[in-house]
Amino acid sequence: MPKLIIANWKLNPSTLKEAQKLAGSIKKVRKNTVVLCPPHIYLSQVKYPNLGAQDCFWQDRGAYTGQVSPQQLKDLKVKYCLVGHSERRQVGETDAQVNFKIHALLEHAIIPVLCVGFGTTAEEDDLAVVDILRQQLDQGLNGLDTSKIIVAYEPVWAIGSGKTPAPEHAEKVSLFIKTKYQVSKVLYGGSANLLNAQSFISQRNVDGLLVGGDSLIPNHFNQIINY
Ligand code: PGA
């Protein structure tokens, strides 16, 4: 089965030239589906078969300073959009807002990638994993056709830390999310890298990866997308 590998560039790189160079150095593979999510400002100028956005707003027009609409993303041929990333939740995004965004994306036939996960330590994650995930998923997916939605499970303590849960933990949570919510795919994210990518994507219910840091290193990312 082909896997879905999404590169989340976050607030990188610093210039358009570097962004174009980075996109140009990522191979086009057949084996897996690869999506690049550069910052909004580069979306119209970066060339790659599948582009994704890192966030969006839920209204299509109006007095919303600084926002980017799903309609604008669609016009730039964006196919995927991350929603509810923990770095957005940290600056105040709520489950209700996440839900509005997913509704708006589906109206424009952009595939939403709902990011869920929490916990600042591995122990905390284990204790409350099901409760918090349930809340994020129940509210984020409220009233939606879940078969059109991808979920990325990212324990917050694993993001950018170089630490990961065991691949079997990702498998267990992915199976739980798929069984309970009937979403189309579940990805793993949080320090997924060249060395551990294969152990995650070889899990039966882990349908791919959301990669931050290692997606900025072409030599690493090109190997990850070729597993
Ligand atoms: P990381 O980021 O791979 O750098 O941990 C993943 C993410 O935040 O989506």
Side-chain angles (χ1 to χ4, degrees), residues 128-158:
V129 75
V130 172
D131 281 354
I132 308 269
L133 284 185
R134 268 212 183 116
Q135 182 191 313
Q136 291 179 336
L137 289 160
D138 285 347
Q139 296 183 16
L141 296 173
N142 187 23
L144 290 157
D145 176 357
T146 55
S147 68
K148 296 191 170 136
I149 296 163
I150 295 171
V151 169
Y153 169 57
E154 301 198 294
V156 175
W157 57 266

PDB file of all heavy atoms in Angstrom, residues 128-158:
ATOM      1  N   ALA A 128      -3.486   9.913  29.774  1.00  0.00           N
ATOM      2  CA  ALA A 128      -4.732  10.555  29.354  1.00  0.00           C
ATOM      3  C   ALA A 128      -5.006  10.450  27.867  1.00  0.00           C
ATOM      4  O   ALA A 128      -5.910  11.089  27.359  1.00  0.00           O
ATOM      5  CB  ALA A 128      -4.686  12.008  29.786  1.00  0.00           C
ATOM      6  N   VAL A 129      -4.215   9.634  27.180  1.00  0.00           N
ATOM      7  CA  VAL A 129      -4.258   9.677  25.714  1.00  0.00           C
ATOM      8  C   VAL A 129      -5.673   9.570  25.149  1.00  0.00           C
ATOM      9  O   VAL A 129      -6.101  10.370  24.325  1.00  0.00           O
ATOM     10  CB  VAL A 129      -3.294   8.629  25.099  1.00  0.00           C
ATOM     11  CG1 VAL A 129      -3.809   7.223  25.181  1.00  0.00           C
ATOM     12  CG2 VAL A 129      -2.943   8.971  23.688  1.00  0.00           C
ATOM     13  N   VAL A 130      -6.434   8.630  25.676  1.00  0.00           N
ATOM     14  CA  VAL A 130      -7.730   8.394  25.060  1.00  0.00           C
ATOM     15  C   VAL A 130      -8.696   9.548  25.335  1.00  0.00           C
ATOM     16  O   VAL A 130      -9.405  10.004  24.439  1.00  0.00           O
ATOM     17  CB  VAL A 130      -8.291   7.043  25.528  1.00  0.00           C
ATOM     18  CG1 VAL A 130      -9.717   6.853  25.063  1.00  0.00           C
ATOM     19  CG2 VAL A 130      -7.415   5.927  24.967  1.00  0.00           C
ATOM     20  N   ASP A 131      -8.673  10.071  26.584  1.00  0.00           N
ATOM     21  CA  ASP A 131      -9.609  11.152  26.936  1.00  0.00           C
ATOM     22  C   ASP A 131      -9.417  12.390  26.085  1.00  0.00           C
ATOM     23  O   ASP A 131     -10.362  12.933  25.536  1.00  0.00           O
ATOM     24  CB  ASP A 131      -9.409  11.571  28.397  1.00  0.00           C
ATOM     25  CG  ASP A 131     -10.076  10.580  29.312  1.00  0.00           C
ATOM     26  OD1 ASP A 131     -10.764   9.679  28.789  1.00  0.00           O
ATOM     27  OD2 ASP A 131      -9.912  10.713  30.536  1.00  0.00           O
ATOM     28  N   ILE A 132      -8.165  12.855  25.998  1.00  0.00           N
ATOM     29  CA  ILE A 132      -7.932  14.101  25.267  1.00  0.00           C
ATOM     30  C   ILE A 132      -8.129  13.886  23.769  1.00  0.00           C
ATOM     31  O   ILE A 132      -8.710  14.719  23.093  1.00  0.00           O
ATOM     32  CB  ILE A 132      -6.514  14.658  25.531  1.00  0.00           C
ATOM     33  CG1 ILE A 132      -6.251  14.748  27.017  1.00  0.00           C
ATOM     34  CG2 ILE A 132      -6.315  15.988  24.825  1.00  0.00           C
ATOM     35  CD1 ILE A 132      -6.596  16.032  27.678  1.00  0.00           C
ATOM     36  N   LEU A 133      -7.650  12.771  23.285  1.00  0.00           N
ATOM     37  CA  LEU A 133      -7.845  12.511  21.853  1.00  0.00           C
ATOM     38  C   LEU A 133      -9.322  12.469  21.516  1.00  0.00           C
ATOM     39  O   LEU A 133      -9.760  13.001  20.502  1.00  0.00           O
ATOM     40  CB  LEU A 133      -7.213  11.180  21.447  1.00  0.00           C
ATOM     41  CG  LEU A 133      -5.713  11.154  21.298  1.00  0.00           C
ATOM     42  CD1 LEU A 133      -5.268   9.802  20.764  1.00  0.00           C
ATOM     43  CD2 LEU A 133      -5.227  12.252  20.369  1.00  0.00           C
ATOM     44  N   ARG A 134     -10.109  11.819  22.374  1.00  0.00           N
ATOM     45  CA  ARG A 134     -11.562  11.747  22.148  1.00  0.00           C
ATOM     46  C   ARG A 134     -12.152  13.132  22.043  1.00  0.00           C
ATOM     47  O   ARG A 134     -12.949  13.410  21.160  1.00  0.00           O
ATOM     48  CB  ARG A 134     -12.231  11.034  23.318  1.00  0.00           C
ATOM     49  CG  ARG A 134     -12.360   9.602  23.092  1.00  0.00           C
ATOM     50  CD  ARG A 134     -13.609   9.027  23.758  1.00  0.00           C
ATOM     51  NE  ARG A 134     -13.554   7.609  23.514  1.00  0.00           N
ATOM     52  CZ  ARG A 134     -13.435   6.690  24.451  1.00  0.00           C
ATOM     53  NH1 ARG A 134     -13.441   7.034  25.711  1.00  0.00           N
ATOM     54  NH2 ARG A 134     -13.343   5.432  24.130  1.00  0.00           N
ATOM     55  N   GLN A 135     -11.746  14.006  22.968  1.00  0.00           N
ATOM     56  CA  GLN A 135     -12.294  15.359  22.952  1.00  0.00           C
ATOM     57  C   GLN A 135     -11.903  16.084  21.654  1.00  0.00           C
ATOM     58  O   GLN A 135     -12.741  16.698  20.991  1.00  0.00           O
ATOM     59  CB  GLN A 135     -11.782  16.128  24.165  1.00  0.00           C
ATOM     60  CG  GLN A 135     -12.347  17.529  24.251  1.00  0.00           C
ATOM     61  CD  GLN A 135     -11.614  18.342  25.300  1.00  0.00           C
ATOM     62  OE1 GLN A 135     -11.389  17.868  26.417  1.00  0.00           O
ATOM     63  NE2 GLN A 135     -11.219  19.546  24.945  1.00  0.00           N
ATOM     64  N   GLN A 136     -10.625  16.007  21.291  1.00  0.00           N
ATOM     65  CA  GLN A 136     -10.172  16.697  20.072  1.00  0.00           C
ATOM     66  C   GLN A 136     -10.881  16.138  18.834  1.00  0.00           C
ATOM     67  O   GLN A 136     -11.247  16.885  17.924  1.00  0.00           O
ATOM     68  CB  GLN A 136      -8.654  16.560  19.909  1.00  0.00           C
ATOM     69  CG  GLN A 136      -7.878  17.351  20.953  1.00  0.00           C
ATOM     70  CD  GLN A 136      -6.358  17.184  20.812  1.00  0.00           C
ATOM     71  OE1 GLN A 136      -5.881  16.199  20.264  1.00  0.00           O
ATOM     72  NE2 GLN A 136      -5.620  18.141  21.335  1.00  0.00           N
ATOM     73  N   LEU A 137     -11.070  14.830  18.819  1.00  0.00           N
ATOM     74  CA  LEU A 137     -11.689  14.206  17.643  1.00  0.00           C
ATOM     75  C   LEU A 137     -13.204  14.406  17.635  1.00  0.00           C
ATOM     76  O   LEU A 137     -13.784  14.734  16.601  1.00  0.00           O
ATOM     77  CB  LEU A 137     -11.324  12.722  17.596  1.00  0.00           C
ATOM     78  CG  LEU A 137      -9.856  12.468  17.232  1.00  0.00           C
ATOM     79  CD1 LEU A 137      -9.415  11.076  17.664  1.00  0.00           C
ATOM     80  CD2 LEU A 137      -9.621  12.632  15.733  1.00  0.00           C
ATOM     81  N   ASP A 138     -13.859  14.239  18.793  1.00  0.00           N
ATOM     82  CA  ASP A 138     -15.323  14.415  18.842  1.00  0.00           C
ATOM     83  C   ASP A 138     -15.681  15.825  18.390  1.00  0.00           C
ATOM     84  O   ASP A 138     -16.585  16.024  17.587  1.00  0.00           O
ATOM     85  CB  ASP A 138     -15.863  14.209  20.270  1.00  0.00           C
ATOM     86  CG  ASP A 138     -15.898  12.740  20.668  1.00  0.00           C
ATOM     87  OD1 ASP A 138     -15.745  11.883  19.781  1.00  0.00           O
ATOM     88  OD2 ASP A 138     -16.063  12.453  21.873  1.00  0.00           O
ATOM     89  N   GLN A 139     -14.958  16.818  18.920  1.00  0.00           N
ATOM     90  CA  GLN A 139     -15.310  18.203  18.600  1.00  0.00           C
ATOM     91  C   GLN A 139     -14.799  18.610  17.216  1.00  0.00           C
ATOM     92  O   GLN A 139     -15.495  19.269  16.457  1.00  0.00           O
ATOM     93  CB  GLN A 139     -14.771  19.137  19.678  1.00  0.00           C
ATOM     94  CG  GLN A 139     -15.451  18.831  21.011  1.00  0.00           C
ATOM     95  CD  GLN A 139     -15.018  19.777  22.124  1.00  0.00           C
ATOM     96  OE1 GLN A 139     -14.443  20.823  21.885  1.00  0.00           O
ATOM     97  NE2 GLN A 139     -15.292  19.383  23.353  1.00  0.00           N
ATOM     98  N   GLY A 140     -13.590  18.212  16.892  1.00  0.00           N
ATOM     99  CA  GLY A 140     -13.023  18.585  15.591  1.00  0.00           C
ATOM    100  C   GLY A 140     -13.806  17.983  14.426  1.00  0.00           C
ATOM    101  O   GLY A 140     -13.927  18.585  13.363  1.00  0.00           O
ATOM    102  N   LEU A 141     -14.343  16.784  14.636  1.00  0.00           N
ATOM    103  CA  LEU A 141     -15.022  16.079  13.539  1.00  0.00           C
ATOM    104  C   LEU A 141     -16.539  16.213  13.601  1.00  0.00           C
ATOM    105  O   LEU A 141     -17.254  15.613  12.781  1.00  0.00           O
ATOM    106  CB  LEU A 141     -14.650  14.585  13.580  1.00  0.00           C
ATOM    107  CG  LEU A 141     -13.164  14.266  13.351  1.00  0.00           C
ATOM    108  CD1 LEU A 141     -12.889  12.780  13.586  1.00  0.00           C
ATOM    109  CD2 LEU A 141     -12.746  14.657  11.930  1.00  0.00           C
ATOM    110  N   ASN A 142     -17.040  17.018  14.520  1.00  0.00           N
ATOM    111  CA  ASN A 142     -18.477  17.133  14.737  1.00  0.00           C
ATOM    112  C   ASN A 142     -19.231  17.511  13.450  1.00  0.00           C
ATOM    113  O   ASN A 142     -18.914  18.503  12.802  1.00  0.00           O
ATOM    114  CB  ASN A 142     -18.705  18.209  15.819  1.00  0.00           C
ATOM    115  CG  ASN A 142     -20.159  18.272  16.240  1.00  0.00           C
ATOM    116  OD1 ASN A 142     -20.906  17.308  16.076  1.00  0.00           O
ATOM    117  ND2 ASN A 142     -20.559  19.423  16.751  1.00  0.00           N
ATOM    118  N   GLY A 143     -20.207  16.692  13.074  1.00  0.00           N
ATOM    119  CA  GLY A 143     -21.069  17.011  11.931  1.00  0.00           C
ATOM    120  C   GLY A 143     -20.415  16.824  10.570  1.00  0.00           C
ATOM    121  O   GLY A 143     -20.917  17.342   9.572  1.00  0.00           O
ATOM    122  N   LEU A 144     -19.318  16.103  10.509  1.00  0.00           N
ATOM    123  CA  LEU A 144     -18.584  15.986   9.241  1.00  0.00           C
ATOM    124  C   LEU A 144     -18.609  14.566   8.692  1.00  0.00           C
ATOM    125  O   LEU A 144     -18.767  13.600   9.441  1.00  0.00           O
ATOM    126  CB  LEU A 144     -17.124  16.388   9.472  1.00  0.00           C
ATOM    127  CG  LEU A 144     -16.913  17.872   9.737  1.00  0.00           C
ATOM    128  CD1 LEU A 144     -15.613  18.105  10.487  1.00  0.00           C
ATOM    129  CD2 LEU A 144     -16.896  18.639   8.414  1.00  0.00           C
ATOM    130  N   ASP A 145     -18.421  14.460   7.380  1.00  0.00           N
ATOM    131  CA  ASP A 145     -18.249  13.154   6.758  1.00  0.00           C
ATOM    132  C   ASP A 145     -16.785  12.742   6.978  1.00  0.00           C
ATOM    133  O   ASP A 145     -15.891  13.170   6.255  1.00  0.00           O
ATOM    134  CB  ASP A 145     -18.570  13.271   5.256  1.00  0.00           C
ATOM    135  CG  ASP A 145     -18.322  11.958   4.523  1.00  0.00           C
ATOM    136  OD1 ASP A 145     -17.856  10.985   5.168  1.00  0.00           O
ATOM    137  OD2 ASP A 145     -18.577  11.920   3.312  1.00  0.00           O
ATOM    138  N   THR A 146     -16.572  11.932   7.994  1.00  0.00           N
ATOM    139  CA  THR A 146     -15.191  11.636   8.420  1.00  0.00           C
ATOM    140  C   THR A 146     -14.414  10.836   7.375  1.00  0.00           C
ATOM    141  O   THR A 146     -13.185  10.825   7.394  1.00  0.00           O
ATOM    142  CB  THR A 146     -15.173  10.862   9.748  1.00  0.00           C
ATOM    143  OG1 THR A 146     -15.979   9.701   9.591  1.00  0.00           O
ATOM    144  CG2 THR A 146     -15.689  11.710  10.894  1.00  0.00           C
ATOM    145  N   SER A 147     -15.122  10.202   6.447  1.00  0.00           N
ATOM    146  CA  SER A 147     -14.419   9.385   5.443  1.00  0.00           C
ATOM    147  C   SER A 147     -13.576  10.261   4.507  1.00  0.00           C
ATOM    148  O   SER A 147     -12.750   9.760   3.755  1.00  0.00           O
ATOM    149  CB  SER A 147     -15.413   8.554   4.631  1.00  0.00           C
ATOM    150  OG  SER A 147     -16.194   9.419   3.830  1.00  0.00           O
ATOM    151  N   LYS A 148     -13.796  11.588   4.557  1.00  0.00           N
ATOM    152  CA  LYS A 148     -13.021  12.484   3.676  1.00  0.00           C
ATOM    153  C   LYS A 148     -11.850  13.126   4.423  1.00  0.00           C
ATOM    154  O   LYS A 148     -11.183  14.014   3.892  1.00  0.00           O
ATOM    155  CB  LYS A 148     -13.935  13.592   3.168  1.00  0.00           C
ATOM    156  CG  LYS A 148     -15.062  13.048   2.309  1.00  0.00           C
ATOM    157  CD  LYS A 148     -15.785  14.165   1.609  1.00  0.00           C
ATOM    158  CE  LYS A 148     -16.738  13.609   0.586  1.00  0.00           C
ATOM    159  NZ  LYS A 148     -18.032  14.282   0.622  1.00  0.00           N
ATOM    160  N   ILE A 149     -11.652  12.716   5.666  1.00  0.00           N
ATOM    161  CA  ILE A 149     -10.685  13.434   6.508  1.00  0.00           C
ATOM    162  C   ILE A 149      -9.508  12.533   6.899  1.00  0.00           C
ATOM    163  O   ILE A 149      -9.684  11.348   7.196  1.00  0.00           O
ATOM    164  CB  ILE A 149     -11.410  13.966   7.759  1.00  0.00           C
ATOM    165  CG1 ILE A 149     -12.456  14.996   7.310  1.00  0.00           C
ATOM    166  CG2 ILE A 149     -10.443  14.584   8.774  1.00  0.00           C
ATOM    167  CD1 ILE A 149     -13.504  15.303   8.315  1.00  0.00           C
ATOM    168  N   ILE A 150      -8.330  13.140   6.899  1.00  0.00           N
ATOM    169  CA  ILE A 150      -7.117  12.450   7.353  1.00  0.00           C
ATOM    170  C   ILE A 150      -6.794  12.986   8.744  1.00  0.00           C
ATOM    171  O   ILE A 150      -6.924  14.187   8.997  1.00  0.00           O
ATOM    172  CB  ILE A 150      -5.955  12.742   6.380  1.00  0.00           C
ATOM    173  CG1 ILE A 150      -6.283  12.136   5.005  1.00  0.00           C
ATOM    174  CG2 ILE A 150      -4.627  12.211   6.920  1.00  0.00           C
ATOM    175  CD1 ILE A 150      -5.309  12.543   3.916  1.00  0.00           C
ATOM    176  N   VAL A 151      -6.377  12.098   9.628  1.00  0.00           N
ATOM    177  CA  VAL A 151      -5.954  12.531  10.965  1.00  0.00           C
ATOM    178  C   VAL A 151      -4.449  12.298  11.096  1.00  0.00           C
ATOM    179  O   VAL A 151      -3.934  11.270  10.634  1.00  0.00           O
ATOM    180  CB  VAL A 151      -6.716  11.748  12.066  1.00  0.00           C
ATOM    181  CG1 VAL A 151      -6.107  11.981  13.443  1.00  0.00           C
ATOM    182  CG2 VAL A 151      -8.197  12.149  12.083  1.00  0.00           C
ATOM    183  N   ALA A 152      -3.752  13.272  11.675  1.00  0.00           N
ATOM    184  CA  ALA A 152      -2.333  13.066  12.001  1.00  0.00           C
ATOM    185  C   ALA A 152      -2.221  13.020  13.522  1.00  0.00           C
ATOM    186  O   ALA A 152      -2.578  13.989  14.200  1.00  0.00           O
ATOM    187  CB  ALA A 152      -1.479  14.193  11.438  1.00  0.00           C
ATOM    188  N   TYR A 153      -1.765  11.889  14.030  1.00  0.00           N
ATOM    189  CA  TYR A 153      -1.577  11.745  15.477  1.00  0.00           C
ATOM    190  C   TYR A 153      -0.156  12.161  15.818  1.00  0.00           C
ATOM    191  O   TYR A 153       0.810  11.534  15.348  1.00  0.00           O
ATOM    192  CB  TYR A 153      -1.839  10.297  15.893  1.00  0.00           C
ATOM    193  CG  TYR A 153      -1.400  10.022  17.314  1.00  0.00           C
ATOM    194  CD1 TYR A 153      -1.920  10.777  18.368  1.00  0.00           C
ATOM    195  CD2 TYR A 153      -0.460   9.035  17.604  1.00  0.00           C
ATOM    196  CE1 TYR A 153      -1.509  10.553  19.674  1.00  0.00           C
ATOM    197  CE2 TYR A 153      -0.048   8.802  18.908  1.00  0.00           C
ATOM    198  CZ  TYR A 153      -0.563   9.564  19.936  1.00  0.00           C
ATOM    199  OH  TYR A 153      -0.146   9.346  21.215  1.00  0.00           O
ATOM    200  N   GLU A 154      -0.047  13.235  16.630  1.00  0.00           N
ATOM    201  CA  GLU A 154       1.275  13.751  17.004  1.00  0.00           C
ATOM    202  C   GLU A 154       1.331  13.996  18.517  1.00  0.00           C
ATOM    203  O   GLU A 154       0.815  15.012  18.990  1.00  0.00           O
ATOM    204  CB  GLU A 154       1.538  15.088  16.304  1.00  0.00           C
ATOM    205  CG  GLU A 154       1.490  15.033  14.806  1.00  0.00           C
ATOM    206  CD  GLU A 154       2.171  16.251  14.190  1.00  0.00           C
ATOM    207  OE1 GLU A 154       1.666  17.374  14.361  1.00  0.00           O
ATOM    208  OE2 GLU A 154       3.216  16.073  13.570  1.00  0.00           O
ATOM    209  N   PRO A 155       1.953  13.102  19.276  1.00  0.00           N
ATOM    210  CA  PRO A 155       2.127  13.392  20.697  1.00  0.00           C
ATOM    211  C   PRO A 155       2.961  14.674  20.809  1.00  0.00           C
ATOM    212  O   PRO A 155       4.013  14.775  20.169  1.00  0.00           O
ATOM    213  CB  PRO A 155       2.926  12.197  21.231  1.00  0.00           C
ATOM    214  CG  PRO A 155       2.888  11.162  20.157  1.00  0.00           C
ATOM    215  CD  PRO A 155       2.625  11.860  18.868  1.00  0.00           C
ATOM    216  N   VAL A 156       2.463  15.647  21.577  1.00  0.00           N
ATOM    217  CA  VAL A 156       3.132  16.958  21.571  1.00  0.00           C
ATOM    218  C   VAL A 156       4.577  16.852  22.082  1.00  0.00           C
ATOM    219  O   VAL A 156       5.474  17.524  21.582  1.00  0.00           O
ATOM    220  CB  VAL A 156       2.295  17.979  22.388  1.00  0.00           C
ATOM    221  CG1 VAL A 156       3.013  19.305  22.508  1.00  0.00           C
ATOM    222  CG2 VAL A 156       0.947  18.192  21.699  1.00  0.00           C
ATOM    223  N   TRP A 157       4.808  15.965  23.030  1.00  0.00           N
ATOM    224  CA  TRP A 157       6.171  15.827  23.574  1.00  0.00           C
ATOM    225  C   TRP A 157       7.154  15.284  22.533  1.00  0.00           C
ATOM    226  O   TRP A 157       8.374  15.409  22.696  1.00  0.00           O
ATOM    227  CB  TRP A 157       6.178  14.935  24.824  1.00  0.00           C
ATOM    228  CG  TRP A 157       5.612  13.558  24.609  1.00  0.00           C
ATOM    229  CD1 TRP A 157       4.326  13.175  24.840  1.00  0.00           C
ATOM    230  CD2 TRP A 157       6.292  12.398  24.115  1.00  0.00           C
ATOM    231  NE1 TRP A 157       4.158  11.853  24.509  1.00  0.00           N
ATOM    232  CE2 TRP A 157       5.349  11.348  24.066  1.00  0.00           C
ATOM    233  CE3 TRP A 157       7.602  12.137  23.704  1.00  0.00           C
ATOM    234  CZ2 TRP A 157       5.671  10.070  23.635  1.00  0.00           C
ATOM    235  CZ3 TRP A 157       7.929  10.856  23.267  1.00  0.00           C
ATOM    236  CH2 TRP A 157       6.968   9.846  23.243  1.00  0.00           C
ATOM    237  N   ALA A 158       6.630  14.693  21.488  1.00  0.00           N
ATOM    238  CA  ALA A 158       7.529  14.131  20.468  1.00  0.00           C
ATOM    239  C   ALA A 158       7.881  15.157  19.380  1.00  0.00           C
ATOM    240  O   ALA A 158       8.843  14.968  18.634  1.00  0.00           O
ATOM    241  CB  ALA A 158       6.882  12.901  19.824  1.00  0.00           C
TER     242      ALA A 158
END
